[in-house]
Amino acid sequence: MQTSEVKSKFESILNEQEDVSTGIAAIMTLMEVLKHYNSITIQGLIEELKVAMEAMKDTNYSAAAITSGCELFRRFITLGTMDYHTFDECKEIMLKRGNLFLKKLKEAKGKVMKLGSQFIIDGSKILTHSRSRVVLHTLREAAKQNRYFEVFVTKSQPDDSGIRMCKDLTELNIPCTLILDSAIGYVMEEVDFVMVGAEAVVESGGIVNKIGSYTMAVCAKAMNKPFYVLAESFKFSRVFPLNQSDLPDEYKYSPEMRKRDLSKEHPLVDYTPPALITLLFTDLGILTPSAVSDELIKLYL
Amino acid sequence: MLETELVDVINLISDIRHGKVYTSYDVAIHTEQLIEKLISEGQWNTAEDLMVLIKARINRIMSALPQESTPVNIMRHILKIIRELYDTGFKYKSEGQQSLHHLITSNVDNAEDYSKPLPSLRSSLLDHLAEYKTGLELSTDNIATQALEHIHADEIILTVGKSNTVEKFLKHAAEKRKFQVIVVEAAPLYHGHEMAINLTKSNIQTTVIPDSAVFAMMSRVNKVIIGTHTVMANGGLRAACGVHMVALAAKRYSVPIMVLAHMYKLSPLHLCYEQDAFNICASPADVLPYSSGPIINKVHVYNPVFDYVPPDLVTLFISHQGGNAPSYVYRLLSELYDPNDNEI
């Protein structure tokens, strides 16, 4: 597939299917690449997948989510190549297993929702940041179980995604308040816990998420409030940032921004270290940050 | 399921409620015996039948004694043993724990099917249970043998109330080393007094202090060694009331806290699931005797039994396998229980 084809395929998946997260869309696109691949070597296939991944990163979607999704898929291909006689046979098996794999990934959100909604008890006040599908669905799930709770949502500059989150919550009849990003400290004393999504979960057990998450985590720690992260396991990523400047530029800036002087640009994501995270709710269960590195080691060793 | 079929577990519940089975070790042994009897004499043909029988008992205990996690933990562990034996019996590649690696490599939808009869299951289960029971019986001794690694000469150790495991641990260390123990009396039950008497019998230099003196004494303490009722999934504790205060004082003075915990005290549940059921209140008579006169009508008296201690206050858990940090509890849990059994 041509680079432009890959890009348009990837973007059309995300535009058409509201419920699909970036990571899954990236994997779905790679499945398309695999389907249309007509050379006959694994080596060539891996090369083509790499090109497709670079192409997707060149779009305006979160590079962190795309990278972790694609890395997982590539790992899946390399672990999956077994002793088959012909490449076609191998490809067929890969496609079959790929679909099964995708199906499991799509079930992940349901599992996360189920685990996360248990922590929302009657009367809770929850602070969340930006707009995350999995957080929204978890809150919806808790509301469905007739729990009464209140949500504070940050406006989340620069894209103001919090406004949309607040609108979505209001439609679900969940009481919610939009707050300024700078008011995180102000509301922290009245909330019971913080619940955010993640673009990627890194090897240390920390997360990469919309800018401002780190501020929120530091603030939550200072006031002794639990900081919960909801993330499906396909967001687990093999990077180990030590500080903010350690994050790859492609995570922090959009392709357009990268063409300009970076010192004048606003980063889009930040890194929240594991020490500030209480628990991560994933489809593999409720994990402490240290359990995340364990999972990644098991996979990539 | 009919009430009559659950009579064994109903008896156990009543024994626990009436204090006939009091220490968690006794609860553990009784639970193990109950399940052993169920396996050898119960009406079941397949692993699935047996799991249904055990789950019915778990549900019964969870609803009757929500804060009593030991019997449920043991039954959960036995469920895992059943799953493993079934899988090995049919030469299935054990699914093991949910992991990212498994998500990627597994070929099939993991359909859970335990309905095929396996004739050897009963006998092999009984073998495994016998082994498990010996493990239970030796657990306290195994923990005690590690005492010399943690208690050094001339140290001052602080402990709260009475715990059989801690008592054995200290006595084992006292055979070789001289050290001093400070026992917090733990009002209103004052089990600490009994503990102090038992320790002095083994020639350990013991001081009893009131609960209010913990902070004052903490600066001289080298180590806090306590037992616990339950270890929660995040590494937090459900321990006797007053332990949180001790843990905070220890944190203030950077004194390490060792928690002696048998494996059956590890619960795969998090605090949130059971907010209301987390604590229980004992009779207020211990706090304010009924003989106190008219004041009784004018005041509220509470006597909570447990404290929740967050994991960041605990330094080390010591089980029969050795020491583990609270952040490692999740690994122990995945070895002990099957993730499918966490919620029943």
Side-chain angles (χ1 to χ4, degrees):
Chain A
M1 266 163 96
Q2 293 296 315
T3 321
S4 55
E5 266 181 280
V6 171
K7 269 192 200 173
S8 63
K9 177 77 201 165
F10 174 61
E11 280 168 340
S12 72
I13 293 176
L14 279 167
N15 289 334
E16 284 160 23
Q17 303 180 34
E18 164 67 9
D19 246 13
V20 167
S21 62
T22 320
I24 295 212
I27 293 174
M28 283 164 85
T29 316
L30 291 188
M31 281 291 285
E32 281 302 310
V33 175
L34 174 63
K35 220 179 277 173
H36 289 99
Y37 179 70
N38 43 27
S39 187
I40 49 158
T41 59
I42 298 276
Q43 192 73 44
L45 175 66
I46 290 176
E47 205 49 50
E48 184 137 343
L49 291 177
K50 209 183 267 173
V51 172
M53 178 172 133
E54 289 307 320
M56 283 188 279
K57 274 202 240 168
D58 203 30
T59 56
N60 269 326
Y61 293 94
S62 150
I66 296 170
T67 319
S68 48
C70 292
E71 284 295 328
L72 199 63
F73 189 78
R74 274 193 23 210
R75 186 66 188 160
F76 164 76
I77 293 286
T78 40
L79 278 178
T81 41
M82 286 153 282
D83 308 325
Y84 293 107
H85 295 293
T86 66
F87 180 76
D88 282 337
E89 215 174 309
C90 187
K91 186 174 151 187
E92 191 148 320
I93 299 280
M94 272 188 210
L95 280 172
K96 209 171 117 222
R97 286 190 39 203
N99 282 324
L100 189 70
F101 176 53
L102 259 179
K103 196 176 127 236
K104 278 194 207 163
L105 291 187
K106 284 179 183 164
E107 285 165 8
K109 197 190 286 163
K111 289 187 194 160
V112 176
M113 264 161 53
K114 203 166 146 251
L115 293 174
S117 61
Q118 286 167 311
F119 274 64
I120 301 171
I121 52 166
D122 254 331
S124 319
K125 285 187 176 178
I126 306 161
L127 175 63
T128 185
H129 183 54
S130 177
R131 183 176 184 276
S132 147
R133 275 185 211 86
V134 63
V135 172
L136 181 64
H137 288 201
T138 305
L139 294 173
R140 186 180 66 191
E141 179 72 22
K144 255 194 221 158
Q145 296 165 17
N146 283 327
R147 304 243 191 100
Y148 179 83
F149 54 93
E150 265 180 74
V151 186
F152 293 91
V153 188
T154 51
K155 195 171 165 218
S156 184
Q157 282 195 316
D159 61 356
D160 289 348
S161 49
I163 298 180
R164 197 166 150 217
M165 179 74 169
C166 210
K167 211 176 112 231
D168 292 336
L169 287 170
T170 319
E171 274 168 25
L172 294 169
N173 283 324
I174 297 170
C176 78
T177 315
L178 191 69
I179 63 160
L180 291 176
D181 292 347
S182 45
I184 290 174
Y186 180 89
V187 294
M188 194 57 84
E189 62 176 28
E190 55 176 316
V191 303
D192 294 303
F193 58 87
V194 180
M195 195 174 248
V196 297
E199 284 184 16
V201 179
V202 300
E203 220 164 339
S204 59
I207 58 164
V208 175
N209 197 29
K210 180 71 185 285
I211 189 96
S213 305
Y214 179 45
T215 318
M216 198 177 259
V218 170
C219 207
K221 185 78 178 177
M223 299 212 195
N224 267 326
K225 309 283 180 181
F227 187 86
Y228 298 137
V229 176
L230 305 176
E232 302 96 321
S233 58
F234 59 79
K235 288 177 175 164
F236 287 16
S237 188
R238 256 192 114 194
V239 280
F240 203 125
L242 298 171
N243 53 24
Q244 307 297 336
S245 61
D246 218 15
L247 279 179
D249 282 343
E250 54 187 28
Y251 282 24
K252 288 190 281 192
Y253 306 103
S254 71
E256 269 155 53
M257 290 157 95
R258 266 178 276 154
K259 288 178 198 137
R260 299 192 288 260
D261 177 12
L262 287 184
S263 63
K264 300 276 190 298
E265 294 295 329
H266 301 295
L268 299 173
V269 297
D270 58 18
Y271 161 64
T272 306
L276 302 178
I277 297 170
T278 316
L279 288 172
L280 296 125
F281 297 79
T282 74
D283 46 312
L284 309 173
I286 302 176
L287 306 179
T288 48
S290 50
V292 171
S293 19
D294 224 47
E295 287 295 334
L296 282 164
I297 289 168
K298 262 190 271 172
L299 180 65
Y300 287 103
L301 204 65
Chain B
M1 192 157 292
L2 291 172
E3 282 290 285
T4 47
E5 290 173 37
L6 289 172
V7 74
D8 50 352
V9 73
I10 292 170
N11 285 339
L12 178 66
I13 291 169
S14 120
D15 283 352
I16 294 175
R17 274 211 180 120
H18 294 112
K20 273 192 216 161
V21 177
Y22 184 73
T23 64
S24 46
Y25 172 73
D26 285 343
V27 173
I29 290 292
H30 276 84
T31 313
E32 194 278 335
Q33 282 165 348
L34 184 154
I35 298 293
E36 200 175 314
K37 201 164 166 228
L38 179 72
I39 290 170
S40 58
E41 296 166 21
Q43 304 258 319
W44 58 276
N45 294 316
T46 64
E48 199 176 11
D49 294 347
L50 182 60
M51 279 156 69
V52 168
L53 289 176
I54 295 179
K55 281 179 185 174
R57 279 158 180 78
I58 292 182
N59 276 324
R60 185 69 200 214
I61 293 192
M62 288 224 276
S63 57
L65 301 166
Q67 67 291 330
E68 202 61 54
S69 56
T70 300
V72 179
N73 292 341
I74 288 187
M75 290 187 196
R76 261 201 199 101
H77 181 64
I78 292 172
L79 283 179
K80 168 147 180 158
I81 296 180
I82 297 173
R83 282 176 199 268
E84 280 175 356
L85 287 177
Y86 184 87
D87 287 344
T88 44
F90 283 105
K91 303 275 186 301
Y92 289 141
K93 212 175 133 256
S94 178
E95 294 275 300
Q97 44 189 285
Q98 289 167 301
S99 75
L100 204 52
H101 187 263
H102 176 234
L103 189 74
I104 285 187
T105 48
S106 77
N107 254 320
V108 278
D109 268 321
N110 39 332
E112 295 254 311
D113 179 25
Y114 290 94
S115 57
K116 277 187 260 172
L118 178 68
S120 63
L121 187 60
R122 198 180 297 252
S123 60
S124 54
L125 258 177
L126 289 173
D127 283 348
H128 268 80
L129 276 189
E131 204 179 295
Y132 180 62
K133 194 177 175 188
T134 347
L136 283 184
E137 285 162 354
L138 292 176
S139 185
T140 311
D141 291 328
N142 283 333
I143 291 177
T145 49
Q146 299 168 53
L148 290 172
E149 293 167 29
H150 298 283
I151 298 174
H152 308 294
D154 292 327
E155 277 192 330
I156 301 179
I157 311 286
L158 183 133
T159 185
V160 184
K162 182 173 159 38
S163 151
N164 290 333
T165 317
V166 174
E167 191 183 318
K168 267 217 170 141
F169 192 80
L170 296 173
K171 282 181 177 169
H172 190 271
E175 286 167 14
K176 289 254 172 68
R177 289 196 184 133
K178 262 207 124 33
F179 54 93
Q180 203 185 329
V181 178
I182 297 174
V183 182
V184 181
E185 62 178 3
L189 291 171
Y190 304 108
H191 283 319
H193 296 177
E194 201 187 320
M195 178 80 163
I197 293 166
N198 291 349
L199 291 177
T200 38
K201 279 181 192 153
S202 301
N203 288 325
I204 300 173
Q205 194 191 339
T206 310
T207 316
V208 178
I209 60 165
D211 298 357
S212 51
V214 167
F215 196 81
M217 295 298 274
M218 194 55 84
S219 59
R220 300 139 122 287
V221 172
N222 295 102
K223 240 163 236 150
V224 176
I225 298 178
I226 51 169
T228 182
H229 182 270
T230 311
V231 179
M232 314 297 284
N234 61 350
L237 306 178
R238 189 213 313 266
C241 201
V243 169
H244 194 183
M245 170 196 68
V246 174
L248 284 168
K251 183 86 176 172
R252 175 69 180 75
Y253 287 103
S254 301
V255 176
I257 302 191
M258 318 278 187
V259 178
L260 308 187
H262 301 279
M263 293 304 262
Y264 54 77
K265 298 206 170 185
L266 294 178
S267 160
L269 299 182
H270 285 267
L271 175 58
C272 77
Y273 297 117
E274 30 174 1
Q275 290 276 338
D276 297 323
F278 181 80
N279 217 330
I280 43 172
C281 280
S283 158
D286 294 321
V287 182
L288 193 70
Y290 293 125
S291 55
S292 311
I295 193 176
I296 287 183
N297 296 327
K298 296 186 184 124
V299 292
H300 290 287
V301 186
Y302 289 110
N303 185 9
V305 175
F306 300 122
D307 253 355
Y308 170 69
V309 184
D312 44 339
L313 297 180
V314 179
T315 316
L316 198 69
F317 288 109
I318 300 170
S319 70
H320 71 273
Q321 296 178 338
N324 290 114
S327 59
Y328 199 75
V329 167
Y330 77 95
R331 270 305 286 276
L332 298 177
L333 286 172
S334 64
E335 279 165 30
L336 275 178
Y337 312 116
D338 189 286
N340 294 308
D341 296 327
N342 287 355
E343 278 170 72
I344 289 165

